[in-house]
Amino acid sequence: MRILLAIPVLVAALACGSPKLSRREAEGDIRKDYPVQIVVTIPESASAIKGSPEHARLVALQEAVAAKGAFAVTRKAEGDRETFAFKPGASAPKEASLSAKGYELPAAEAEFVRALRIEYMRDSARVTYQIRLSRPTAWFGLFQTLHPGVRPGETKERHASYRREGRSWVLQNTDETLKKAR
């Protein structure tokens, strides 16, 4: 008789309890947004103070694109600043696309690896997951010029936010800023 009385209490407790977001569900949701394209952005025009780290970065960028003959670079000194103008050359890559930031060249892809941990708040959850740098292109060397020490196969952590709606979890956003690879 006691068992029969305990069953409705147990069912009510389970119905009111909060279901946890499973790692498998989170990985399935996040995986849909990957792989993403990692691009190298070459500005149409950029200016920096001579001797600054930004100036050194622009000089390195100029040397790297000029070596491949892909872009023609003109430099113009203006007092303590120097302006660099990058224009596609005769052997400009077909993959180069013009965006608001400049010319974008595909350097590699980042692929989803796995969810590392899930942190629960009241009606939300934060998933920390890992991505891996993969499939470098011919422009990956240029990417390494701008980001020294980056190697294919390296992993980085990213985060995703979930909101609970009833008994299910809905992916709200991730902190990934790159576009899905085509």
Side-chain angles (χ1 to χ4, degrees):
M1 185 68 166
R2 282 187 185 166
I3 294 175
L4 292 177
L5 292 175
I7 291 176
V9 172
L10 183 60
V11 169
L14 289 174
C16 294
S18 64
K20 298 280 187 178
L21 173 65
S22 73
R23 185 176 301 244
R24 178 179 287 161
E25 181 183 358
E27 287 179 346
D29 289 343
I30 297 167
R31 189 180 313 264
K32 293 175 189 172
D33 294 334
Y34 286 87
V36 292
Q37 188 73 56
I38 297 172
V39 296
V40 175
T41 303
I42 300 168
E44 285 186 274
S45 179
S47 177
I49 296 173
K50 293 177 185 174
S52 69
E54 180 62 22
H55 185 266
R57 184 179 171 279
L58 289 170
V59 169
L61 181 62
Q62 174 205 355
E63 291 170 357
V65 297
K68 289 195 173 219
F71 287 84
V73 183
T74 56
R75 294 169 67 167
K76 184 173 142 186
E78 300 165 345
D80 66 340
R81 297 188 74 80
E82 190 167 13
T83 302
F84 294 75
F86 296 87
K87 300 288 179 210
S91 61
K94 295 177 282 196
E95 307 95 11
S97 61
L98 186 59
S99 72
K101 295 180 182 179
Y103 299 97
E104 292 184 343
L105 296 168
E109 288 184 1
E111 60 190 13
F112 177 81
V113 178
R114 64 187 171 118
L116 299 173
R117 63 186 165 276
I118 302 173
E119 301 164 35
Y120 295 96
M121 279 64 83
R122 194 167 205 172
D123 283 334
S124 62
R126 182 175 185 225
V127 178
T128 302
Y129 63 97
Q130 205 172 45
I131 61 171
R132 177 180 298 120
L133 186 63
S134 63
R135 293 188 271 296
T137 68
W139 297 101
F140 189 73
L142 180 59
F143 183 77
Q144 286 179 310
T145 299
L146 300 176
H147 305 281
V150 174
R151 295 180 319 274
E154 281 188 346
T155 59
K156 283 194 164 234
E157 289 186 3
R158 295 284 195 262
H159 303 93
S161 301
Y162 276 83
R163 184 183 76 240
R164 194 170 98 198
E165 289 184 358
R167 294 188 55 81
S168 62
W169 291 90
V170 178
L171 176 63
Q172 295 300 297
N173 63 359
T174 66
D175 60 5
E176 184 63 72
T177 58
L178 302 170
K179 299 178 216 169
K180 184 155 175 74
R182 293 171 209 168

